[in-house]
């Protein structure tokens, strides 16, 4: 398949917007599936994991390949739940385009915004699909305006709905100026092209004029002709829409109801017509590389899963050709490609080779983890890595028997290689193994995998908030590490300056050593000691963040100084300095959205205030009221039960991590 006929796309959205249903209809209409799989029946092709089928949500991103109008489309269906946001993150990193699905009733929801910002980060061109127009309360035009206001982009409507809610029956195609309709009811059927209904002719004319006015800005010649009264033809319009979409000038918007089998074929047409091929987008690398199948290999490992046969590594090939049996490099290690697969959800189709632009899975890689660059031997290259978010919830995990200890650690390490947003650490004081993640659901799913896949029975503590520590003032400390016990001694002296940084900056180490006060080879050892100390702060043993540590000065001994001595000096100096710098506890604060009937609004606001929360915004969505608030995560445990009780089960909420903030109670330095 030629590069220009290849599309690598992701389906992304807030949970329950209809991503997986949309993907299932894509599989059906492209002929990949001969029957429609439904999420609510646990029969969706893309939700093949037993936990996904049991919970009715997408947990793992799943890849498949379909064909439409002589184009190959590699589709990745991603989760919508915030706990599994790493799946969206790493998928967007390797995709060329995305279809963002919006609920026609709810519009732009919190996780949609988060995913949109991720797509901005990776500069991924997007199409918007306003879904569920058959539902009561659906409003295509209101969602269009929400996209404009909340996401700060120009939505370009390519279609208008015919009818609404229960009367929704089809679309007006503003480019071809025809009506597209489907059979009544839920049965899949072929699209019919008809004249635009009389009651929509005027609206279609107005919206088409707006479309042309926006699109002609992409081409000076077209703009000049339009100003002279010459309207662009359909071919010119499509070319200009494609150009503007790839440049991010606007976001084409199509609509329909995937569940009712309406609007899927025009969505596929739009994917082929407007989203980029691999050769249309730049590769995020330390050097400019082109999607050349004949060049030296450059590929990115973006996902690792484990099954009974070992590790399966998903890769995006950016340059060159990958073949079964190839020996390649991941930077530090040589790896051999045992087998190559084209993935169709959980079904593997073996391939002999994969060329630039392809997304495939490799069996046989032993040392490769998420974010590693795979390259040809002798042609080292580093592609931009995938950033994993910081975890906000901890849970203690212990094996039920001593015999399970080794298997538990082996299983946990496998889970960490699959999901980079999980973290594992040892609490030396309590003697516990701590697993950290983005939310209770993510940890619950991970531990269920530990039981079922690795057959390890574990005891689990209560979920705890993953706190952090920081400092409230600047300080300088000079510390000498000196030890003499017959034979070679140990000597290192360092002067550290600690300064608070804005939230989210992490721990920054800077060397300001001048004049050889400390030999250059010992400075990394000081940094290592500082970072080791920062893993466990002086307040309550939590990691220390948002601090700049500057190595200002120091002394060494020609015979007794060593990396170990400077490591120990850096460790002790940092601990002492943190105690002097007004140490503080930080807690994660969540951005919370509550959708409630107005009758319960006062109770909901009062409950948020009691949880140390602060309401930041209030708006209407149909007949419901939407509250946006910032609430400490610790106060949100068990919230769903309280909310249901307050609202007779009629209110709902979603939340995601927003920032760390100083805990209201003053921190006490541990003795």
């Amino acid at each position: 398949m030629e590069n220009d006929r290849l599309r690598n796309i992701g389906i992304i959205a807030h949970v329950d917007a209809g991503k997986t249903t949309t993907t299932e209809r894509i599989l059906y209409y492209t002929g990949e599936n001969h029957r429609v799989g439904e999420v609510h029946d646990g029969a969706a092709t893309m939700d093949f994991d037993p936990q996904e089928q049991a919970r009715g949500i997408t947990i793992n991103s799943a890849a498949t390949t379909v064909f439409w109008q002589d184009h190959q489309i590699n589709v990745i269906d991603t989760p919508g739940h915030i706990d599994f946001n790493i799946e969206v993150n790493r998928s967007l990193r390797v995709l060329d385009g995305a279809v963002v699905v919006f609920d026609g009733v709810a519009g732009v929801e919190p996780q949609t915004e988060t995913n949109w910002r991720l797509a901005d980060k990776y500069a991924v061109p997007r199409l918007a699909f306003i879904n569920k127009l058959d539902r009561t309360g659906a409003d295509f035009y209101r969602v269009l305006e929400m996209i404009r206001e909340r996401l700060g982009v120009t939505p370009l409507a390519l279609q208008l709905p015919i009818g609404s809610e229960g009367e929704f029956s089809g679309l007006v195609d503003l480019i071809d100026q025809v009506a597209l309709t489907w059979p009544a009811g839920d049965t899949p059927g072929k699209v019919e092209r008809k004249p635009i209904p009389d009651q929509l002719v005027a609206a279609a004319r107005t919206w088409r004029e707006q479309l042309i006015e926006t699109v002609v800005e992409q081409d000076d010649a077209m703009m000049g002709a339009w100003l002279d009264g010459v309207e662009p033809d359909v071919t010119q319009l499509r070319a200009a829409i494609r150009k503007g979409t790839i440049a991010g000038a606007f976001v084409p918007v199509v609509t329909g109801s995937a569940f009712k089998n309406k609007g899927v074929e025009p969505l596929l047409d739009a994917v082929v017509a407007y989203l980029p091929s691999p050769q249309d987008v730049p590769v995020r690398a330390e050097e400019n590389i082109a999607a050349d199948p004949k060049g030296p290999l450059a590929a990115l490992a973006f996902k690792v899963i484990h099954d009974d046969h070992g590790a399966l590594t998903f890769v995006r090939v950016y340059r060159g050709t990958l073949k079964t049996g190839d020996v390649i490099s991941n930077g530090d290690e040589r790896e051999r490609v045992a087998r190559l697969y084209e993935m169709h959800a959980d079904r593997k189709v073996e391939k002999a080779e994969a060329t630039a632009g392809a997304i495939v899975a490799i069996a046989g890689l032993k040392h490769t983890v998420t974010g590693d660059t795979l390259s040809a031997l002798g042609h080292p290259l580093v592609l931009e890595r995938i950033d994993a978010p910081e975890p906000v919830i901890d849970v203690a995990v212990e094996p039920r028997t001593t015999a399970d200890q080794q298997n538990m650690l082996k299983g946990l390490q496998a889970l960490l290689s699959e999901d980079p947003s999980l973290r594992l650490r040892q609490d030396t004081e309590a003697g516990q193994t701590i697993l950290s993640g983005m939310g209770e659901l993510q940890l619950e799913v991970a531990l269920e995998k530990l039981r079922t896949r690795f057959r390890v029975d574990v005891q689990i503590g209560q979920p705890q908030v993953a706190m952090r520590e920081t400092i409230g003032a600047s300080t300088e400390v000079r510390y000498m590490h000196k030890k003499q016990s017959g034979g070679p001694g140990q000597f290192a002296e360092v002067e550290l300056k600690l300064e608070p940084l804005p939230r989210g900056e992490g721990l920054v180490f800077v060397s300001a050593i001048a004049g050889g006060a400390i030999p250059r080879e010992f400075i990394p050892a000081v940094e290592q000691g500082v970072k080791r100390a920062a893993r466990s702060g002086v307040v309550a043993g939590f990691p220390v963040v948002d601090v700049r540590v500057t190595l200002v000065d120091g002394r060494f001994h020609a015979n007794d100084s060593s990396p170990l001595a400077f490591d120990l000096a850096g460790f002790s100096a940092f601990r002492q300095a943190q105690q002097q710098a007004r140490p503080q506890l930080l807690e994660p604060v969540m951005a919370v959205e509550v959708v409630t009937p107005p009758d319960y609004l006062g109770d909901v606001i009062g409950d948020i205030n009691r949880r140390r929360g602060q309401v930041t915004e209030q708006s209407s969505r149909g007949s419901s009221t939407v509250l946006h608030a910032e609430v400490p995560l610790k106060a949100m445990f068990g919230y769903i039960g309280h909310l249901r009780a307050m609202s007779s089960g009629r209110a709902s909420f979603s939340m995601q991590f927003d920032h760390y903030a100083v805990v209201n109670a003053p921190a006490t330095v541990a003795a």
Side-chain angles (χ1 to χ4, degrees), residues 51 55 397 400 415 443-460:
Q51 290 203 64
R55 298 171 191 270
V397 185
R400 290 196 181 274
L415 292 177
L443 293 174
E444 189 182 316
V445 167
L447 293 168
E448 185 61 28
K449 286 181 183 177
L450 197 63
R451 292 190 190 96
T452 56
R453 195 194 303 170
F454 299 99
R455 298 175 181 83
V456 178
D457 196 12
V458 292
Q459 298 181 95
I460 304 164

Side-chain angles (χ1 to χ4, degrees), residues 366-423:
K366 294 180 169 35
H367 309 288
T368 299
V369 297
T370 296
D372 280 356
T373 299
L374 301 173
S375 58
L377 299 179
H379 293 84
L381 179 77
V382 178
L383 298 167
E384 183 179 326
R385 292 190 67 86
I386 297 167
D387 296 326
E390 284 297 312
V392 293
I393 290 188
D394 295 340
V395 65
V397 185
E398 295 179 358
R400 290 196 181 274
T401 66
T402 308
D404 278 337
Q405 176 75 27
Q406 199 61 34
N407 286 337
M408 183 190 81
L409 292 176
K410 183 180 177 183
L412 287 172
Q413 290 298 337
L415 292 177
L416 263 62
S417 71
E418 292 185 5
D419 186 347
S421 66
L422 291 172
R423 301 281 198 283

